[in-house]
Amino acid sequence: TMKESLPKSISEIRETINKNDFPKLAKLLHKIGPSLPMMGLDELKSELVDIQNDLKNKPDPHSISHRIESLCKIILGAVKSL
């Protein structure tokens, strides 16, 4: 279920942020994308896509990690309310 799989995915995303492995981050973010509309988080989908596109262009690690962390917090908050 999403309640079980999303926290695991978020944990993996957070670990990957610390490694600055941008290609893997893009894949992990892509993997959680379909779950967002099912959780009523349609507005996050565009931010997710923007982050994925930015990851392809070797972004500033601090800036991109901050954006991803904000996204992760919102998703985890939504998971808790399921």
Side-chain angles (χ1 to χ4, degrees):
T1 65
M2 284 190 295
K3 197 165 185 168
E4 295 168 352
S5 64
L6 278 173
K8 289 178 187 174
S9 295
I10 296 296
S11 178
E12 191 173 358
I13 287 168
R14 286 175 165 163
E15 289 172 18
T16 306
I17 288 172
N18 295 330
K19 297 175 185 170
N20 290 332
D21 185 345
F22 299 139
K24 184 174 180 181
L25 266 174
K27 288 178 186 174
L28 292 169
L29 291 170
H30 181 75
K31 186 174 142 184
I32 65 170
S35 301
L36 300 181
M38 291 188 276
M39 294 171 48
L41 300 173
D42 299 289
E43 69 280 0
L44 286 185
K45 183 70 174 171
S46 63
E47 173 65 6
L48 182 79
V49 171
D50 287 346
I51 290 171
Q52 287 175 281
N53 288 332
D54 290 346
L55 285 169
K56 295 175 187 172
N57 299 316
K58 300 201 181 202
D60 170 59
H62 178 72
S63 172
I64 201 76
S65 65
H66 178 72
R67 289 171 62 202
I68 294 171
E69 185 56 36
S70 295
L71 191 79
C72 290
K73 286 179 182 176
I74 294 168
I75 293 168
L76 287 176
V79 168
K80 288 179 183 174
S81 68
L82 290 177

